[in-house]
Amino acid sequence: MHSIDSSSVQDYVKTIYGFTEWQETPITASQLAVRLAVANSSVTGMVAKLVELGLARHEKYGPITLTPAGLALGLAMVRRHRLIETFLVDHLGYSWDEVHDEAELLEHSVSDTFIERLDRKLGHPVRDPHGDPIPTPNGLISRPDAVRLDSLDDGHRARVARISDDNPAVLKFLAGHAVGLDTPLLVSGRGPFGALLTVAVGDGPGSATLQLGGELVAALWVESLGTHEGCTVATV
Amino acid sequence: MHSIDSSSVQDYVKTIYGFTEWQETPITASQLAVRLAVANSSVTGMVAKLVELGLARHEKYGPITLTPAGLALGLAMVRRHRLIETFLVDHLGYSWDEVHDEAELLEHSVSDTFIERLDRKLGHPVRDPHGDPIPTPNGLISRPDAVRLDSLDDGHRARVARISDDNPAVLKFLAGHAVGLDTPLLVSGRGPFGALLTVAVGDGPGSATLQLGGELVAALWVESLGTHEGCTVATV
DNA sequence: GCGTATGTTTAGGTATGCCGAAATACTCCT
DNA sequence: AGGAGTATTTCGGCATACCTAAACATACGC
Ligand SMILES: [Mn+2]
Ligand SMILES: [Mn+2]
Ligand SMILES: [Mn+2]
Ligand SMILES: [Mn+2]
């Protein structure tokens, strides 16, 4: 029979879980296909297998959700992925835009023992290099209460809490402009139709100004620090 | 077409290489099947693929040897395997009997970048936890001039240079009796037909005596230190 | 309500890597 | 040289996880 330690099964479940981590609505077959870079028909087949395995629920033509067992597996895989990323950055000198692909493969090959010993060596980190929370061995996870950067009004200060690691180029760009985890930002204005967001980076006197396009804005999640007096900027 | 980064191809090539590392004669199909725990017919098929890939030479019904390209791949895999084992012991607190299986999977999932950064972090080790030499990135390897323990005459002193990691139970037993890499041994006698070897462990005054059976003796490779005066024991 | 666009599933097929059973070659002993 | 026994290969099949093309459902606009 099928088995829970096929890397395909693991990636499917992890992706289904990941879709709802920073958003509400469950994933559909075609969205899953895009994220996994496989054909729609492959998803149909694999999801049927997940249902057989008791990992997912799926009514024909409906969205795909995880059962408790599937959620547990998804969280376990996310834990693996994020601990490995943390190790690569903290101990092997990787930059945060290099770690995702490496972790994507390694997560399937390490043992539970490896993960727990790694966790110990890393000092039980609570978030990965991109700010994503690391579940406990029992599957407990605490989402930082961050919001997307573009949900902030102009004049708001915020601290970067999480950057989506979907696109390495985005990560590279941000790092190149001194934007990282916990970097303070000030939303100073936006272009027409909210297309471009202008932010000041840092809180010191020599803070640079950045124009962030759609994909960059969508990748940045921040913890709001309220309005900084004297820095308010009129909303357009 | 076929590809060099299938984990099966890598394991086959690594195993073919490994067979001649501490011994002369090339491997045969059925020996390869035993080592890989697959059926003989699987070996026939896979070896044909290796030949197609330019990694191995094989005449029907003959032994299997590596081409230069195959040797390079074998050495690269051995390098990966041994660096990973070293990391597990040095940084994650694994014991030397636990690392083999973990490395057997990990070796296929890490990138070249990972391996070189790991090598750097480990300080460019020259041997793994079992005393096996670690090839350089260019495939250079220097075999320690060790001999099998049972090739020593009684009364000889020696230092453990390498222990075969084929059998975790052997490793566990030896560690439990204070035998590790570089442990000094004194061959003090042997049973009838050379079946059992008696060795004194350590060189201090409180050295324990061990009776080593066939598998243990075969697993131990030592560097001879010549005969220690005053400790010579008559050969039976 | 009806048709069409979109999303999803079905059907048929490919590649990889394994298996057991049957056929075939080699080896060694007499 | 012949035959027995062993090693190896061939053959047909299976499981996994993909694919494309075609069939089919659903949802939406008119
Ligand atoms: Mn993955
Ligand atoms: Mn991450
Ligand atoms: Mn392996
Ligand atoms: Mn080893």
Side-chain angles (χ1 to χ4, degrees):
Chain A
M1 245 288 276
H2 317 302
S3 154
I4 222 167
D5 43 47
S6 121
S7 45
S8 276
V9 167
Q10 294 175 344
D11 275 340
Y12 273 78
V13 168
K14 181 161 67 77
T15 304
I16 297 168
Y17 166 77
F19 192 81
T20 45
E21 196 174 30
W22 296 90
Q23 182 210 318
E24 279 306 309
T25 52
I27 199 167
T28 65
S30 49
Q31 286 169 323
L32 190 45
V34 170
R35 296 215 160 196
L36 291 167
V38 297
N40 286 339
S41 57
S42 305
V43 168
T44 306
M46 239 1 229
V47 167
K49 173 178 295 186
L50 298 185
V51 171
E52 263 189 72
L53 283 168
L55 298 171
R57 284 179 286 257
H58 185 221
E59 319 237 329
K60 258 184 195 165
Y61 298 97
I64 298 147
T65 59
L66 293 177
T67 62
L71 180 60
L73 178 58
L75 285 163
M77 292 311 298
V78 157
R79 172 170 168 81
R80 287 166 165 247
H81 187 98
R82 294 177 184 170
L83 282 171
I84 290 166
E85 285 188 342
T86 304
F87 165 70
L88 294 175
V89 167
D90 287 4
H91 284 84
L92 290 192
Y94 276 68
S95 55
W96 71 349
D97 57 288
E98 296 175 315
V99 295
H100 184 80
D101 291 350
E102 190 90 49
E104 196 58 50
L105 292 180
L106 274 173
E107 62 190 5
H108 310 291
S109 307
V110 298
S111 68
D112 287 340
T113 301
F114 180 99
I115 286 297
E116 296 322 317
R117 295 197 181 162
L118 188 63
D119 181 45
R120 190 153 187 280
K121 182 180 181 71
L122 297 174
H124 310 290
V126 297
R127 61 176 188 178
D128 83 355
H130 313 103
D132 283 305
I134 299 174
T136 68
N138 321 304
L140 301 177
I141 192 170
S142 62
R143 186 150 30 280
D145 65 335
V147 294
R148 281 184 45 167
L149 177 58
D150 58 2
S151 74
L152 291 194
D153 289 329
D154 295 351
H156 270 76
R157 299 202 134 282
R159 186 170 43 217
V160 174
R162 185 241 169 187
I163 304 101
S164 161
D165 61 356
D166 284 352
N167 186 346
V170 162
L171 293 170
K172 210 161 190 170
F173 174 87
L174 290 173
H177 289 80
V179 177
L181 269 187
D182 297 326
T183 300
L185 297 179
L186 167 65
V187 180
S188 62
R190 63 192 71 202
F193 311 110
L196 236 52
L197 209 74
T198 308
V199 299
V201 179
D203 48 5
S207 67
T209 291
L210 265 184
Q211 306 272 356
L212 302 178
E215 195 174 0
L216 286 161
V217 167
L220 280 162
W221 293 67
V222 297
E223 213 173 318
S224 174
L225 299 176
T227 309
H228 190 298
E229 66 278 3
C231 285
T232 318
V233 180
T235 312
V236 179
Chain B
M1 248 287 276
H2 317 300
S3 156
I4 222 168
D5 41 50
S6 118
S7 45
S8 277
V9 167
Q10 294 176 343
D11 275 340
Y12 274 78
V13 168
K14 180 160 68 77
T15 304
I16 297 168
Y17 166 77
F19 191 81
T20 47
E21 194 172 32
W22 296 91
Q23 182 209 320
E24 278 306 309
T25 51
I27 199 166
T28 65
S30 47
Q31 286 168 322
L32 191 44
V34 170
R35 297 214 160 200
L36 290 166
V38 298
N40 287 336
S41 55
S42 305
V43 169
T44 306
M46 255 331 250
V47 168
K49 174 177 296 186
L50 298 184
V51 171
E52 263 189 72
L53 282 168
L55 298 171
R57 283 179 286 257
H58 185 222
E59 319 236 329
K60 257 182 197 168
Y61 299 97
I64 299 149
T65 58
L66 293 177
T67 62
L71 181 61
L73 178 58
L75 285 163
M77 292 312 298
V78 158
R79 172 171 167 80
R80 285 167 166 247
H81 187 97
R82 293 177 184 169
L83 282 171
I84 291 166
E85 284 188 345
T86 304
F87 166 70
L88 294 176
V89 167
D90 288 3
H91 284 84
L92 290 192
Y94 277 68
S95 56
W96 71 350
D97 56 289
E98 296 175 316
V99 297
H100 184 80
D101 291 350
E102 190 90 48
E104 195 58 51
L105 292 180
L106 274 174
E107 62 191 4
H108 309 292
S109 306
V110 298
S111 66
D112 287 340
T113 301
F114 180 100
I115 287 297
E116 296 322 316
R117 295 197 181 161
L118 188 64
D119 181 45
R120 190 154 188 279
K121 182 180 182 71
L122 297 175
H124 310 289
V126 297
R127 61 176 188 177
D128 82 355
H130 312 104
D132 284 305
I134 298 175
T136 67
N138 322 303
L140 301 176
I141 191 170
S142 61
R143 187 152 24 282
D145 65 336
V147 294
R148 280 183 46 165
L149 178 58
D150 58 2
S151 74
L152 291 194
D153 288 330
D154 293 351
H156 271 75
R157 300 204 132 279
R159 186 172 42 216
V160 175
R162 185 240 170 189
I163 303 101
S164 161
D165 61 355
D166 284 353
N167 187 346
V170 163
L171 293 171
K172 210 161 188 169
F173 173 88
L174 290 173
H177 289 81
V179 176
L181 270 187
D182 298 325
T183 300
L185 296 180
L186 167 66
V187 179
S188 62
R190 63 191 73 202
F193 311 110
L196 236 51
L197 210 73
T198 308
V199 299
V201 179
D203 49 5
S207 68
T209 291
L210 265 184
Q211 306 271 355
L212 303 178
E215 196 175 359
L216 285 161
V217 167
L220 279 164
W221 293 67
V222 297
E223 213 175 318
S224 175
L225 300 174
T227 308
H228 190 296
E229 66 279 4
C231 286
T232 317
V233 178
T235 310
V236 180

